[in-house]
Amino acid sequence: MQPRKRQTIGEWIFKASLVLSGGLIVAVLGLMCLTLLTHAWPSIVALKWKFVTTNTWDPITSTFGAEAFVIGTLLTSLLALFISLPFSLSVSIFLGEYAQRGILSEVFKAMINMLAGIPSVIYGFWGLFVLVPWIRTFQIWVGIPPFGIGIFTAALILALMIIPYAAAIGRDVIAMVPNELKEGAYSLGATRMEVLLTIVLPTARSGLFAGTLLSFGRAIGETMAVTMVIGNSNLLPTSIFAPGNTMASVIANEFSEATNAIHVSSLIELALYLFVITAIINIIGKWIIQRTEVSHG
Amino acid sequence: MRTGHETWRQCKNNAFHGLIILFSAILFLPLAAIIFHILKNGLHVLSWEFLTALPKPMGESGGGVGNAIAGTLLLIVLSSLIAIPIGIFTGVYLSENTHGKFSHIIHVAVDMLQGTPSIVIGIAAYIWIVKPMGHFSAFSGGVALALMMLPVIIKSTEETLKRIPNTLKEAALALGAPYYRTMLQIIIPTGFQGILTGVLLGIARVSGESAPLLFTAFGNPFLNLNMNKTVQALPLLIFNYATSPYEDWQAYAWGSSCLLLIFILSLTLLTKAIRPQ
């Protein structure tokens, strides 16, 4: 134990500001939750469950049923997750197992970093001017209405945006698998593929799940790129190629023009749900990753 | 002697390896396509006039995005002024108190803040600042971006300081230096590179953000450096001009994308160069 000393003013101010800064972060989070809740309250009280179970969204008649946006969000995010999985998993395996060091590893890392660094709005812009015409050609070729924009296009862009995030987590958890386990399998004559499929991936399973969950959380809240290519239709999407809207994109489109109090409130209610869902996903995901880090030392 | 079964297993093994490389390498295609289209459509737009002039009214040629560049810089300065001190102090607290209950709560809060969608942060900044003040402002945009920068700065500060050997701190304390001077004059300067990396990464993260600015900084066709008024930003301009039907404006958007991408990539390269090994 240190002997008790008379603390100087400077010492006291310094320690107090450390605690205050940390407290401020916690306070901001709490306040954010509270603010969203109070501002969404009028809409929660007025619309109750109808808010998520009906699908007519018409600000002019003050009808607010957000079912189409909830479905749009789930559809784009799940589709993006589905598309991204083979790629993010491959990159994770490549960087975490095949090439932990070396030139090729650096090249792939640089690629992932660049994909992660491109701003959302540029993904959307590129999607709108380059990807949408490609999709349109594809749709004409297949013989479905050539919207170009729509849920599928948004999911493609989203997949591209979440791959770097999922791959970074996947690489870390795969690289964390203890060498003794792998060496054990190799010494029994297993090939590298057999080691990967029977030892590495099962051991890293929970971490990979957490990475997928966290990138799903990313996809749910992603706004600008989706807003630009999803087509902004308030109707219930009829197919994955139809235009739609997500919870985030409808906020981006309508919030600054909403004048009616219940309209503003229902948009904030959407923001509240986004906040709560992503918060839960993040807490669970980070908790799983932390647990695997501890168990693998 | 190899049996047929072993050869078959080897084949499968090689095929699997090839498949993994193939799926990883496919990702180069979209990345190359994005960079190619931005350079092709954006590079020739860049000029001295483009960087400094204000947008011309519809129908007149020329003009530039000087207002958006100035606005983006103003927003970066504002958000840095807020986020850097708070972020570093929180990071110091977390690195010094690794096991406390309060540290645990802060950790959870930082994780939640990092995962919060940027559009939600924009709405919060709108309710907290724009609504009481009665008008959109660069300041509210700066606050929104600061909230997005904070987790990055906090995490890199914490990680950096945790890696500094305890003996350094003990030596300073043993010489009679008070705790706060040990931290401010020995520990933080030792971790300076790592902290700076975090700050630059934070800036790179927010300089491309547009969702939190939609209802805060709002955009402005004129040059403004008053933080009480609305301000244009490059990502906002890209969003507005990209969705406009005018070809001149779309060309502005390509040029701005090019500029923004160059800015963000150079920031990332800079962090690579100074990151402590």
Side-chain angles (χ1 to χ4, degrees):
Chain A
M1 278 294 280
Q2 261 189 333
R4 275 177 70 97
K5 276 185 293 186
R6 199 168 59 87
Q7 290 190 327
T8 62
I9 301 283
E11 187 100 4
W12 188 85
I13 291 176
F14 180 69
K15 282 191 171 163
S17 35
L18 290 188
V19 176
L20 272 180
S21 307
L24 191 69
I25 307 288
V26 179
V28 161
L29 249 289
L31 205 61
M32 197 181 290
C33 193
L34 209 65
T35 328
L36 291 174
L37 188 63
T38 49
H39 283 79
W41 196 248
S43 149
I44 296 175
V45 170
L47 303 164
K48 304 205 178 60
W49 284 112
K50 274 199 304 197
F51 187 72
V52 286
T53 52
T54 59
N55 59 36
T56 314
W57 181 278
D58 188 2
I60 297 161
T61 57
S62 277
T63 324
F64 298 103
E67 192 196 4
F69 310 141
V70 176
I71 290 178
T73 299
L74 286 177
L75 214 55
T76 44
S77 308
L78 287 175
L79 204 57
L81 206 60
F82 191 66
I83 299 170
S84 73
L85 220 49
F87 299 100
S88 57
L89 207 55
S90 295
V91 177
S92 310
I93 292 175
F94 184 75
L95 290 177
E97 171 67 27
Y98 282 114
Q100 290 197 18
R101 273 170 294 280
I103 295 177
L104 213 53
S105 153
E106 291 302 319
V107 171
F108 277 85
K109 267 187 215 155
M111 171 189 78
I112 291 299
N113 284 337
M114 280 175 88
L115 278 175
I118 296 175
S120 174
V121 71
I122 293 188
Y123 273 111
F125 184 32
W126 178 82
L128 192 59
F129 279 77
V130 181
L131 189 64
V132 165
W134 289 351
I135 300 273
R136 205 174 280 147
T137 319
F138 171 75
Q139 287 169 333
I140 292 173
W141 185 66
V142 179
I144 45 178
F147 289 115
I149 48 178
I151 301 236
F152 180 72
T153 317
L156 268 185
I157 294 275
L158 262 182
L160 209 50
M161 297 178 71
I162 59 176
I163 283 171
Y165 189 60
I169 299 172
R171 179 198 64 205
D172 288 348
V173 294
I174 285 180
M176 248 189 309
V177 173
N179 265 329
E180 296 81 47
L181 287 181
K182 291 189 259 178
E183 283 157 7
Y186 280 128
S187 70
L188 291 173
T191 62
R192 202 158 198 187
M193 179 192 92
E194 287 160 354
V195 171
L196 267 167
L197 294 184
T198 58
I199 306 291
V200 175
L201 292 186
T203 312
R205 192 180 46 211
S206 59
L208 291 173
F209 171 75
T212 313
L213 191 68
L214 287 171
S215 48
F216 181 64
R218 264 286 150 101
I220 288 178
E222 185 46 60
T223 313
M224 296 316 280
V226 173
T227 307
M228 290 168 87
V229 298
I230 200 169
N232 304 315
S233 147
N234 287 356
L235 303 174
L236 208 61
T238 46
S239 83
I240 59 166
F241 289 105
N245 239 337
T246 66
M247 294 157 80
S249 73
V250 82
I251 299 174
N253 276 323
E254 296 186 2
F255 192 74
S256 49
E257 279 141 34
T259 43
N260 180 338
I262 193 83
H263 189 190
V264 174
S265 177
S266 48
L267 289 170
I268 295 177
E269 188 176 348
L270 286 176
L272 174 70
Y273 295 152
L274 280 178
F275 177 78
V276 172
I277 295 167
T278 49
I280 293 173
I281 286 180
N282 263 281
I283 290 174
I284 295 176
K286 296 273 163 74
W287 177 73
I288 296 176
I289 289 180
Q290 214 164 34
R291 220 184 40 170
T292 40
E293 269 170 5
V294 170
S295 70
H296 292 169
Chain B
M1 264 300 273
R2 279 193 169 180
T3 62
H5 181 62
E6 268 174 30
T7 325
W8 170 235
R9 281 172 60 211
Q10 282 297 338
C11 275
K12 270 202 299 188
N13 183 44
N14 292 339
F16 185 76
H17 193 166
L19 213 62
I20 294 288
I21 293 186
L22 179 73
F23 269 93
S24 310
I26 285 176
L27 291 175
F28 278 108
L29 295 177
L31 177 65
I34 292 173
I35 292 178
F36 168 76
H37 285 112
I38 284 174
L39 291 181
K40 190 186 103 188
N41 297 312
L43 216 47
H44 69 92
V45 182
L46 298 185
S47 68
W48 184 246
E49 194 194 1
F50 180 77
L51 298 178
T52 52
L54 296 184
K56 286 266 172 65
M58 257 332 296
E60 282 180 50
S61 62
V65 296
N67 57 336
I69 296 173
T72 287
L73 293 178
L74 174 69
L75 286 168
I76 290 176
V77 170
L78 282 175
S79 53
S80 302
L81 283 179
I82 302 168
I84 291 175
I86 299 176
I88 292 182
F89 271 40
T90 309
V92 171
Y93 182 86
L94 289 176
S95 72
E96 287 293 293
N97 305 276
T98 40
H99 290 298
K101 190 151 207 163
F102 191 47
S103 298
H104 182 69
I105 296 175
I106 297 176
H107 265 134
V108 173
V110 171
D111 282 342
M112 280 169 69
L113 191 59
Q114 192 161 33
T116 304
S118 52
I119 188 103
V120 176
I121 289 183
I123 293 224
Y126 173 87
I127 298 174
W128 290 339
I129 300 165
V130 176
K131 233 177 145 192
M133 281 171 62
H135 54 83
F136 299 108
S137 61
F139 175 68
S140 56
V143 170
L145 293 186
L147 289 177
M148 306 209 57
M149 246 168 118
L150 271 168
V152 186
I153 300 181
I154 292 173
K155 288 200 165 162
S156 64
T157 305
E158 185 195 356
E159 294 296 314
T160 310
L161 297 190
K162 268 186 183 166
R163 254 184 270 131
I164 294 176
N166 243 335
T167 45
L168 201 64
K169 193 165 86 190
E170 284 160 6
L173 290 174
L175 287 173
Y179 175 72
Y180 76 101
R181 293 189 60 173
T182 308
M183 293 310 293
L184 289 176
Q185 295 183 341
I186 308 290
I187 303 299
I188 293 181
T190 310
F192 180 74
Q193 278 185 323
I195 296 173
L196 187 64
T197 308
V199 170
L200 292 178
L201 280 178
I203 291 176
R205 182 184 180 198
V206 300
S207 51
E209 276 297 340
S210 37
L213 301 179
L214 285 173
F215 330 122
T216 52
F218 196 69
N220 187 338
F222 303 105
L223 183 69
N224 168 42
L225 289 175
N226 180 350
M227 66 173 200
N228 232 336
K229 296 205 174 111
T230 61
V231 71
Q232 185 65 289
L234 281 171
L236 267 184
L237 179 138
I238 296 171
F239 176 63
N240 290 328
Y241 284 5
T243 44
S244 82
Y246 313 112
E247 271 183 22
D248 282 3
W249 283 10
Q250 289 166 9
Y252 279 4
W254 284 113
S256 308
S257 301
C258 192
L259 201 64
L260 194 59
L261 209 58
I262 292 173
F263 177 69
I264 291 175
L265 289 185
S266 354
L267 265 183
T268 336
L269 282 180
L270 192 64
T271 54
K272 269 238 146 59
I274 61 164
R275 169 174 288 159
Q277 292 305 313

